[in-house]
Amino acid sequence: MRVVIQDNYDKMSKWAAEYIAKKINEHKEDRPFVLGLPTGSSPIGVYRNLIEMNKEGKVSFANVVTFNMDEYLGLPHEHDQSYWYFMHDNFFDHLVDMKPENINILNGMTDDPEAECARYEAKIASYGGIDLFMGGIGVDGHLAFNEPYTSLSSRTGVRNLTTDTRIVNSRFFGNDPEKVPAQALSVGIGTVTDSKEVLVLISGHNKARALAATVEGGVSQKWTCSALQMHNGAIIACDEEACGELMVDTYKYFLDIERKERL
Ligand code: GLP
């Protein structure tokens, strides 16, 4: 696992955006580059950087197919807290060459959630899998909406949200946890770890425990993000604030190893 520690959120975002752009630009296969994407406050800086690079002609999305991690069950596209709305508002609508037909987001208004999830997995497979899945994590270490104790081999499916997650996410719903949908559709941990590369953004003091569990804890379904330890292409991009619970030697190790790689 690589852990790339940057001074602050802005530098973390710039680093991650440049990494993703490099991977898209290097992609020479005779099929689209398949990119997995998250919502939340963590990726907003990456999206801003990618939009700027796209407008400057530094990266094209013309040959990129995207799959989002998750969607609330029961929120229509036009609801300003649906992840469909978030992704268009914060990213897709600002790209100059993203093809709408290449955007994939789980349909939270489906009347057959299981069929919708099976369709999503099949569509990912039809492209030959995901090249790079960018993610964020919750304060309890949930990756997508895979709450603690979700199987580390789970696939796309319906997830019940914990009260904790509904309270944390209520900041977007007028601070009322009851307004946060109780269920979501989400890719599974197995869906994410099947990707060739996984890049997870971890920023801020409130994620410090989760970062330590991801990097230093044992692999455990209690912290679903810890599954990344078993992935051969996992990168954590984080900021200094998120490093507060790492052991000093862990912190020094990653600064050391990443510095050598940059030289
Ligand atoms: C939600 C999303 C996750 C996201 C998490 C953290 O629960 N389902 O995919 O990673 O929030 O969000 P934030 O980046 O705002 O802290």
Side-chain angles (χ1 to χ4, degrees):
M1 176 188 277
R2 286 182 67 186
V3 178
V4 178
I5 302 167
Q6 296 289 320
D7 293 347
N8 53 42
Y9 177 82
D10 288 346
K11 287 189 180 166
M12 175 195 79
S13 302
K14 191 162 191 297
W15 186 91
E18 283 174 357
Y19 186 85
I20 293 167
K22 182 168 108 147
K23 289 288 162 173
I24 294 172
N25 289 336
E26 282 173 1
H27 183 77
K28 300 282 180 259
E29 287 172 43
D30 191 20
R31 63 176 192 100
F33 186 85
V34 185
L35 179 64
L37 295 173
T39 52
S41 37
S42 306
I44 285 183
V46 175
Y47 291 146
R48 284 200 192 115
N49 277 277
L50 284 173
I51 290 165
E52 205 176 305
M53 293 167 85
N54 178 244
K55 286 185 175 154
E56 289 168 355
K58 292 179 180 161
V59 64
S60 164
F61 284 81
N63 195 33
V64 175
V65 169
T66 64
F67 284 90
N68 262 82
M69 287 195 136
D70 44 18
E71 178 59 286
Y72 287 115
L73 209 48
L75 292 193
H77 289 174
E78 58 276 12
H79 190 293
D80 65 2
Q81 291 309 323
S82 77
Y83 287 167
W84 191 97
Y85 188 99
F86 174 99
M87 287 306 300
H88 287 79
D89 194 34
N90 287 288
F91 192 44
F92 297 134
D93 287 354
H94 307 278
L95 296 172
V96 298
D97 55 3
M98 183 77 211
K99 296 177 184 145
E101 64 270 27
N102 285 347
I103 297 169
N104 294 283
I105 301 176
L106 283 154
N107 176 13
M109 294 303 284
T110 178
D111 49 17
D112 189 347
E114 284 184 16
E116 170 63 3
C117 294
R119 179 196 68 79
Y120 208 64
E121 285 274 344
K123 195 154 182 201
I124 292 172
S126 76
Y127 285 104
I130 292 177
D131 291 293
L132 191 160
F133 219 133
M134 173 165 70
I137 59 171
V139 290
D140 60 3
H142 69 246
L143 185 57
F145 264 131
N146 296 292
E147 298 281 26
Y149 302 104
T150 305
S151 163
L152 299 186
S153 61
S154 52
R155 310 303 307 187
T156 305
V158 181
R159 301 288 187 269
N160 293 335
L161 306 192
T162 61
T163 303
D164 282 356
T165 292
R166 293 177 78 200
I167 290 170
V168 172
N169 289 3
S170 69
R171 68 192 191 281
F172 302 116
F173 290 83
N175 292 318
D176 180 359
E178 287 300 316
K179 290 204 177 114
V180 181
Q183 289 187 308
L185 302 180
S186 173
V187 295
I189 294 295
T191 320
V192 175
T193 55
D194 273 356
S195 312
K196 285 190 199 131
E197 287 189 277
V198 184
L199 167 61
V200 171
L201 309 167
I202 306 184
S203 158
H205 290 297
N206 63 337
K207 301 283 174 70
R209 255 182 92 220
L211 175 60
T214 305
V215 178
E216 294 174 338
V219 175
S220 162
Q221 59 187 353
K222 181 172 189 336
W223 293 92
T224 54
C225 51
S226 68
L228 297 176
Q229 291 180 27
M230 301 299 290
H231 193 286
N232 198 26
I235 305 178
I236 308 292
C238 61
D239 61 10
E240 287 282 347
E241 284 190 7
C243 292
E245 296 286 334
L246 289 181
M247 288 186 279
V248 174
D249 61 352
T250 305
Y251 174 79
K252 283 185 176 171
Y253 171 84
F254 284 114
L255 283 184
D256 183 34
I257 209 96
E258 286 298 326
R259 187 178 57 243
K260 280 183 185 143
E261 221 174 275
R262 278 200 299 267
L263 289 174

